[in-house]
Amino acid sequence: MRISVFGLGPVGLVTAVSFCKKGYPVVGIDTDSHRVEMIRSGKTPFFEPSLESNLREALDTGLLKTTSDSSVNTESDLSYITVGTPSSPDGGIDLTYIRAVASAIGKTLLGRKEYQLVLVKSTVTPGTARNVIKPILEKEARKLTSQDFGLCSNPEFLREGNAMYDAEFPDRIIIGSESQRDLDKVEAFYSEVYGANTPTVIKTTYENAELIKYANNSFLAMKVSYINMIANLCQKIKGGDVEHVAKGIGLDKRIAPLFLRAGLGWGGSCFPKDLKAISAYGISIGVRTTLVDATITVNDNQPLKAVKLVEKQIGDLKGKRIALLGLAFKPDTDDLREAVSIPIIVTLLERGAQVVGYDPAAMPNAKILLQDKIQFATSPVDCIRDADCCVIVTEWEEFKKISPTVFLETMRRPIVVDGRRIYDPSAFRQAGVIFSAIGLGES
Ligand code: UGA
């Protein structure tokens, strides 16, 4: 199988490199020639653990080629659509990139004799493959799907920060199509790719496959908002601790422990966009997605709980130096999209605080985004030096290792607000740190 991947963002590049790792020749196509050059020189345009070393290997073996010229797709057997579907002003998805890629692929199918399969990995609302992508492909190719080429929905479930692992060990494969032959072909291809590690394959319609992705992400976000709601209850209860409650309910096999980590809320390039999109889609077909809407509301309020805890400890924020450990939306990424650090910073600044931040990976992006609005530290210790309060915003491993003594010796006042529950409250309190945390009631 020769593979084309259209769109070299986090999903596309990981997909391309993972196929090369399995021995398939891949051509990665992106309209951004600067990005194409960068990847060709062995550099990833974003931080993703182990991606860069795997990229270099893919380039060294000659299996990965990158280009801005979509006509190379004529040589491929499979083409993946992995472009972004950003939010449009009404919360729905903007299909500009999807339409452009469908049109580019369609043109390469014109005059082609062999059957090609087009797989949609981009997150799109139900009906997009059938009503948007298919007509464009058929018009440009002057051919019919199923007869002359195949079109399948094939949503991805890669997590930023774990994307290489997820690409290698998917926990399910979802394929949607109206053609049984295409469903079987894609299933056979994935059996070849994953061999003994092939997970359960669900073969269904385009629309079910498209909806599975949204249902999946909104359920996970709902789980997080749910535990954050419980955390808010715990905080008002003497001796309350959401960590104990999460553990208690997570042991129920029907609930399960993952995505029950209470904190300052979810962010990133997926959950916020996808929940808005499924809500807007629901409205467009006359269905109110009430739980999704409540999930968003809980999340919108959650980052400010950190500011409340800071104010509870130090009162008026004017002129106070507040250290933020972590800026990325989650650990192991440099991604600041919809990161909770942003509303926290905006509110602290509005209330007159001086903000200093540190993040192990997101500093370059933070400097571009925030410019001189905050100060940037060079290390966690540099960040908390002389601070009146420190807030843990992202649960990076290196922050977990900081001992209470470091806070006691470095800060102006040893006040810590643990927004991600990475520290042991009793150890910190016993050491003399003035400690408060999300989901932790008065002791
Ligand atoms: C999410 C999904 O997990 C992937 O399966 C999916 O492929 C991806 O979106 C996508 O649609 O492309 P990702 O955005 O990388 O992946 O991040 P997650 O690990 O799901 O975390 C999302 C947010 O929830 C983060 O801000 C994280 O800090 C927060 N979270 C997660 C919690 O606050 N508590 C938890 O227990 C878990």
Side-chain angles (χ1 to χ4, degrees), residues 164-178:
M164 285 305 296
Y165 176 88
D166 290 347
E168 203 160 334
F169 302 102
D171 47 16
R172 71 270 136 100
I173 289 168
I174 310 293
I175 316 164
S177 175
E178 55 191 355

PDB file of all heavy atoms in Angstrom, residues 164-178:
ATOM      1  N   MET A 164       2.098   8.871  19.547  1.00  0.00           N
ATOM      2  CA  MET A 164       2.828   7.782  18.878  1.00  0.00           C
ATOM      3  C   MET A 164       2.374   6.426  19.422  1.00  0.00           C
ATOM      4  O   MET A 164       2.179   5.471  18.676  1.00  0.00           O
ATOM      5  CB  MET A 164       4.350   7.941  19.050  1.00  0.00           C
ATOM      6  CG  MET A 164       4.991   9.013  18.200  1.00  0.00           C
ATOM      7  SD  MET A 164       4.678   8.874  16.420  1.00  0.00           S
ATOM      8  CE  MET A 164       5.486   7.336  16.012  1.00  0.00           C
ATOM      9  N   TYR A 165       2.204   6.349  20.733  1.00  0.00           N
ATOM     10  CA  TYR A 165       1.750   5.101  21.350  1.00  0.00           C
ATOM     11  C   TYR A 165       0.337   4.762  20.849  1.00  0.00           C
ATOM     12  O   TYR A 165       0.057   3.625  20.451  1.00  0.00           O
ATOM     13  CB  TYR A 165       1.760   5.227  22.882  1.00  0.00           C
ATOM     14  CG  TYR A 165       1.203   4.005  23.565  1.00  0.00           C
ATOM     15  CD1 TYR A 165       2.027   2.927  23.886  1.00  0.00           C
ATOM     16  CD2 TYR A 165      -0.161   3.911  23.849  1.00  0.00           C
ATOM     17  CE1 TYR A 165       1.501   1.781  24.490  1.00  0.00           C
ATOM     18  CE2 TYR A 165      -0.694   2.776  24.443  1.00  0.00           C
ATOM     19  CZ  TYR A 165       0.136   1.710  24.766  1.00  0.00           C
ATOM     20  OH  TYR A 165      -0.380   0.586  25.345  1.00  0.00           O
ATOM     21  N   ASP A 166      -0.540   5.760  20.882  1.00  0.00           N
ATOM     22  CA  ASP A 166      -1.930   5.505  20.471  1.00  0.00           C
ATOM     23  C   ASP A 166      -2.013   5.058  19.017  1.00  0.00           C
ATOM     24  O   ASP A 166      -2.864   4.238  18.655  1.00  0.00           O
ATOM     25  CB  ASP A 166      -2.786   6.766  20.658  1.00  0.00           C
ATOM     26  CG  ASP A 166      -3.014   7.088  22.124  1.00  0.00           C
ATOM     27  OD1 ASP A 166      -2.740   6.225  22.981  1.00  0.00           O
ATOM     28  OD2 ASP A 166      -3.467   8.217  22.430  1.00  0.00           O
ATOM     29  N   ALA A 167      -1.117   5.625  18.170  1.00  0.00           N
ATOM     30  CA  ALA A 167      -1.140   5.250  16.749  1.00  0.00           C
ATOM     31  C   ALA A 167      -0.676   3.806  16.577  1.00  0.00           C
ATOM     32  O   ALA A 167      -1.138   3.088  15.695  1.00  0.00           O
ATOM     33  CB  ALA A 167      -0.261   6.195  15.940  1.00  0.00           C
ATOM     34  N   GLU A 168       0.223   3.392  17.457  1.00  0.00           N
ATOM     35  CA  GLU A 168       0.749   2.040  17.343  1.00  0.00           C
ATOM     36  C   GLU A 168      -0.178   1.001  17.979  1.00  0.00           C
ATOM     37  O   GLU A 168      -0.273  -0.128  17.528  1.00  0.00           O
ATOM     38  CB  GLU A 168       2.126   1.978  17.999  1.00  0.00           C
ATOM     39  CG  GLU A 168       2.950   0.846  17.459  1.00  0.00           C
ATOM     40  CD  GLU A 168       4.436   1.058  17.717  1.00  0.00           C
ATOM     41  OE1 GLU A 168       4.874   2.219  17.841  1.00  0.00           O
ATOM     42  OE2 GLU A 168       5.137   0.070  17.810  1.00  0.00           O
ATOM     43  N   PHE A 169      -0.854   1.420  19.054  1.00  0.00           N
ATOM     44  CA  PHE A 169      -1.728   0.487  19.788  1.00  0.00           C
ATOM     45  C   PHE A 169      -3.135   1.057  19.949  1.00  0.00           C
ATOM     46  O   PHE A 169      -3.553   1.381  21.062  1.00  0.00           O
ATOM     47  CB  PHE A 169      -1.134   0.176  21.169  1.00  0.00           C
ATOM     48  CG  PHE A 169       0.246  -0.421  21.103  1.00  0.00           C
ATOM     49  CD1 PHE A 169       1.361   0.358  21.361  1.00  0.00           C
ATOM     50  CD2 PHE A 169       0.426  -1.755  20.766  1.00  0.00           C
ATOM     51  CE1 PHE A 169       2.643  -0.177  21.284  1.00  0.00           C
ATOM     52  CE2 PHE A 169       1.703  -2.302  20.685  1.00  0.00           C
ATOM     53  CZ  PHE A 169       2.815  -1.517  20.944  1.00  0.00           C
ATOM     54  N   PRO A 170      -3.883   1.193  18.866  1.00  0.00           N
ATOM     55  CA  PRO A 170      -5.240   1.750  19.002  1.00  0.00           C
ATOM     56  C   PRO A 170      -6.121   0.787  19.796  1.00  0.00           C
ATOM     57  O   PRO A 170      -5.902  -0.426  19.738  1.00  0.00           O
ATOM     58  CB  PRO A 170      -5.719   1.876  17.554  1.00  0.00           C
ATOM     59  CG  PRO A 170      -4.889   0.934  16.776  1.00  0.00           C
ATOM     60  CD  PRO A 170      -3.577   0.782  17.498  1.00  0.00           C
ATOM     61  N   ASP A 171      -7.093   1.324  20.567  1.00  0.00           N
ATOM     62  CA  ASP A 171      -7.941   0.387  21.322  1.00  0.00           C
ATOM     63  C   ASP A 171      -9.192  -0.015  20.555  1.00  0.00           C
ATOM     64  O   ASP A 171      -9.943  -0.868  20.987  1.00  0.00           O
ATOM     65  CB  ASP A 171      -8.263   0.896  22.737  1.00  0.00           C
ATOM     66  CG  ASP A 171      -8.712   2.326  22.753  1.00  0.00           C
ATOM     67  OD1 ASP A 171      -9.056   2.845  21.689  1.00  0.00           O
ATOM     68  OD2 ASP A 171      -8.725   2.916  23.850  1.00  0.00           O
ATOM     69  N   ARG A 172      -9.440   0.595  19.406  1.00  0.00           N
ATOM     70  CA  ARG A 172     -10.500   0.166  18.477  1.00  0.00           C
ATOM     71  C   ARG A 172     -10.277   0.886  17.159  1.00  0.00           C
ATOM     72  O   ARG A 172      -9.579   1.906  17.111  1.00  0.00           O
ATOM     73  CB  ARG A 172     -11.909   0.483  18.994  1.00  0.00           C
ATOM     74  CG  ARG A 172     -12.278   2.000  18.988  1.00  0.00           C
ATOM     75  CD  ARG A 172     -11.969   2.599  20.079  1.00  0.00           C
ATOM     76  NE  ARG A 172     -11.418   3.698  20.628  1.00  0.00           N
ATOM     77  CZ  ARG A 172     -12.069   4.732  21.129  1.00  0.00           C
ATOM     78  NH1 ARG A 172     -13.350   4.829  21.037  1.00  0.00           N
ATOM     79  NH2 ARG A 172     -11.412   5.686  21.724  1.00  0.00           N
ATOM     80  N   ILE A 173     -10.875   0.318  16.112  1.00  0.00           N
ATOM     81  CA  ILE A 173     -10.800   0.982  14.808  1.00  0.00           C
ATOM     82  C   ILE A 173     -12.236   1.155  14.335  1.00  0.00           C
ATOM     83  O   ILE A 173     -13.030   0.201  14.352  1.00  0.00           O
ATOM     84  CB  ILE A 173      -9.978   0.138  13.811  1.00  0.00           C
ATOM     85  CG1 ILE A 173      -8.496   0.184  14.215  1.00  0.00           C
ATOM     86  CG2 ILE A 173     -10.155   0.658  12.380  1.00  0.00           C
ATOM     87  CD1 ILE A 173      -7.627  -0.819  13.498  1.00  0.00           C
ATOM     88  N   ILE A 174     -12.573   2.378  13.968  1.00  0.00           N
ATOM     89  CA  ILE A 174     -13.933   2.667  13.522  1.00  0.00           C
ATOM     90  C   ILE A 174     -13.881   2.978  12.025  1.00  0.00           C
ATOM     91  O   ILE A 174     -13.100   3.831  11.595  1.00  0.00           O
ATOM     92  CB  ILE A 174     -14.507   3.902  14.266  1.00  0.00           C
ATOM     93  CG1 ILE A 174     -14.342   3.783  15.791  1.00  0.00           C
ATOM     94  CG2 ILE A 174     -15.950   4.170  13.855  1.00  0.00           C
ATOM     95  CD1 ILE A 174     -15.139   2.705  16.465  1.00  0.00           C
ATOM     96  N   ILE A 175     -14.695   2.266  11.262  1.00  0.00           N
ATOM     97  CA  ILE A 175     -14.737   2.519   9.819  1.00  0.00           C
ATOM     98  C   ILE A 175     -16.197   2.726   9.420  1.00  0.00           C
ATOM     99  O   ILE A 175     -17.062   1.916   9.769  1.00  0.00           O
ATOM    100  CB  ILE A 175     -14.170   1.337   8.995  1.00  0.00           C
ATOM    101  CG1 ILE A 175     -12.876   0.785   9.606  1.00  0.00           C
ATOM    102  CG2 ILE A 175     -13.898   1.773   7.549  1.00  0.00           C
ATOM    103  CD1 ILE A 175     -12.506  -0.599   9.066  1.00  0.00           C
ATOM    104  N   GLY A 176     -16.456   3.810   8.700  1.00  0.00           N
ATOM    105  CA  GLY A 176     -17.819   4.065   8.233  1.00  0.00           C
ATOM    106  C   GLY A 176     -17.836   4.174   6.722  1.00  0.00           C
ATOM    107  O   GLY A 176     -16.969   4.819   6.139  1.00  0.00           O
ATOM    108  N   SER A 177     -18.805   3.510   6.124  1.00  0.00           N
ATOM    109  CA  SER A 177     -18.929   3.614   4.660  1.00  0.00           C
ATOM    110  C   SER A 177     -20.297   3.107   4.251  1.00  0.00           C
ATOM    111  O   SER A 177     -21.002   2.461   5.026  1.00  0.00           O
ATOM    112  CB  SER A 177     -17.847   2.780   3.976  1.00  0.00           C
ATOM    113  OG  SER A 177     -18.035   2.792   2.575  1.00  0.00           O
ATOM    114  N   GLU A 178     -20.662   3.383   2.997  1.00  0.00           N
ATOM    115  CA  GLU A 178     -21.914   2.810   2.487  1.00  0.00           C
ATOM    116  C   GLU A 178     -21.614   1.562   1.654  1.00  0.00           C
ATOM    117  O   GLU A 178     -22.511   0.921   1.153  1.00  0.00           O
ATOM    118  CB  GLU A 178     -22.672   3.850   1.666  1.00  0.00           C
ATOM    119  CG  GLU A 178     -21.837   4.429   0.554  1.00  0.00           C
ATOM    120  CD  GLU A 178     -22.462   5.641  -0.116  1.00  0.00           C
ATOM    121  OE1 GLU A 178     -23.609   5.992   0.212  1.00  0.00           O
ATOM    122  OE2 GLU A 178     -21.792   6.224  -0.980  1.00  0.00           O
TER     123      GLU A 178
END
